[in-house]
Amino acid sequence: MNGRNRIDIAEERARSQALRDLIGRIPYARFLGITIDRRGDEITTTLNFDEKLIGNPVLPALHGGVIGAFMEVTAIAQLAWTMPGAPLPKPIDISVDYLRSGRPMDTFARAIIAKPGRRVANVRVEAWQDERARPIAALHGHFLLRRDEESGTGA
Amino acid sequence: MPDTPLPDLLRSAGPLMIDALPHARAIGMRVIDMDWGACVASIPYAEHLIGDPDTGVIHGGVVTTLLDNASGLAAFLAGDTPMQVATLDLRIDYNRPAVPGKAIYARATCYKLTRSVAFVRGTAWETEERDPVATSVGTFMLTEVPEYMVQLAAQIGSQQ
């Protein structure tokens, strides 16, 4: 263990903490109960199940809007990790495909940056529950990376 | 859509599609107006819905949830009998940041209904409908409501 390695470890852990802090600063992400976990450059978010996320009490199933919002936060987390220090990316448009109903349990998601542009990034996200190979929903969307434009939600 | 007023069955079951949903209640969603294949719903501004703590702008996901829910209700109100509604896909365009501190409204309109699919457009705004915060287009799958679900929904409704 030399000094160089120790710096790397400290730096990596600081980056992980910065990412958790970034998501932790978003009140709506806290309200939904989203947590974040990193292994190298692979980020997995968790939507921790809670009764208040139910959109269909009869089935029961998670609210579709919540699943969309969760995947949107996942895309933003992945972008924030890839571009440390940049302002929080803003969604321009998202398209959500609902594949299976979200059962009342924890949900996970991962994002892939399909095109990291200079001003706009195209991101794809998949959300799953008990089986990674059987996603419950998928999102693709465009996110604004710089604050010099007027479109996007601003959040 | 018929010229007749919305039947009581749909009118009474409609708000249940929002009021009986734990998540819709958790974010304070309300149905404001209903008609054949159309509705207006709203969400009040609240601290826990903020997406950008530096500006206080509400999170895009909240707007997505409102548009999804309003669109599903519009699809439900498009047929003359209650059907089960499930979102197939939903596309949202975020036109601009929502003004902090203001409630958000959404109008959804089912512009085409087939036997098993409803096509719905939506608009969200806070001050003027002509100046949208977000616009959406979605498709919804419609299926017959099984009898046990009718009874369960009635039970849930009576507990509200």
Side-chain angles (χ1 to χ4, degrees):
Chain A
M1 177 65 87
N2 59 28
R4 170 90 192 104
N5 284 346
R6 270 203 296 280
I7 292 166
D8 283 351
I9 291 164
E11 201 175 294
E12 282 290 279
R13 288 188 178 159
R15 277 188 77 189
S16 270
Q17 191 54 50
L19 183 66
R20 279 196 298 271
D21 290 347
L22 177 90
I23 300 303
R25 276 189 71 234
I26 302 174
Y28 182 65
R30 281 205 307 272
F31 168 70
L32 291 183
I34 297 173
T35 49
I36 193 158
D37 184 47
R38 181 179 74 92
R39 298 281 182 274
D41 66 344
E42 190 175 72
I43 290 162
T44 309
T45 50
T46 303
L47 177 67
N48 295 277
F49 176 72
D50 186 276
E51 205 59 44
K52 70 169 185 271
L53 304 180
I54 293 286
N56 182 330
V58 178
L59 282 174
L62 296 175
H63 196 293
V66 169
I67 295 168
F70 169 57
M71 292 192 294
E72 194 178 292
V73 170
T74 307
I76 287 169
Q78 185 69 52
L79 287 166
W81 170 258
T82 311
M83 293 167 295
L88 211 58
K90 300 178 195 173
I92 299 168
D93 62 68
I94 59 164
S95 186
V96 184
D97 288 346
Y98 294 95
L99 307 168
R100 295 175 179 86
S101 83
R103 301 207 310 282
M105 59 198 286
D106 290 354
T107 310
F108 312 101
R110 262 184 219 146
I112 289 171
I113 301 172
K115 167 92 173 61
R118 221 163 40 83
R119 283 192 308 181
V120 173
N122 178 306
V123 186
R124 290 163 192 278
V125 183
E126 275 190 353
W128 74 95
Q129 290 185 321
D130 43 2
E131 256 188 273
R132 179 75 183 87
R134 286 168 42 90
I136 62 162
L139 172 149
H140 65 264
H142 293 92
F143 293 80
L144 190 67
L145 306 177
R146 297 200 337 209
R147 291 215 187 275
D148 58 356
E149 304 262 343
E150 284 199 344
S151 66
T153 62
Chain B
M1 303 289 166
D3 293 331
T4 52
L6 206 58
D8 287 346
L9 181 65
L10 287 185
R11 186 164 281 284
S12 58
L16 266 189
M17 281 195 54
I18 289 187
D19 299 345
L21 312 188
H23 186 69
R25 280 210 307 276
I27 58 177
M29 202 186 303
R30 290 191 309 121
V31 184
I32 292 177
D33 193 19
M34 283 185 299
D35 200 349
W36 286 106
C39 75
V40 178
S42 77
I43 291 182
Y45 183 83
E47 295 286 318
H48 61 273
L49 303 181
I50 290 173
D52 186 343
D54 298 330
T55 58
V57 170
I58 215 160
H59 197 282
V62 180
V63 181
T64 300
T65 300
L66 176 65
L67 283 165
D68 175 55
N69 221 137
S71 299
L73 179 54
F76 175 83
L77 297 169
D80 42 19
T81 56
M83 298 280 268
Q84 240 192 123
V85 177
T87 316
L88 287 174
D89 95 6
L90 186 68
R91 146 99 191 205
I92 313 266
D93 288 344
Y94 294 114
N95 307 119
R96 61 175 175 84
V99 176
K102 289 188 180 290
I104 298 187
Y105 300 87
R107 179 189 303 279
T109 310
C110 174
Y111 62 94
K112 174 70 184 167
L113 180 71
T114 70
R115 258 198 337 179
S116 50
V117 179
F119 299 86
V120 184
R121 274 191 284 261
T123 305
W125 72 94
E126 73 296 71
T127 313
E128 283 202 64
E129 195 171 346
R130 286 178 319 180
D131 181 20
V133 165
T135 44
S136 69
V137 59
T139 53
F140 295 79
M141 193 171 60
L142 304 168
T143 45
E144 294 282 330
V145 183
E147 186 52 36
Y148 81 90
M149 271 200 170
V150 176
Q151 287 165 9
L152 208 50
Q155 260 174 32
I156 291 167
S158 65
Q159 288 160 12
Q160 294 306 307

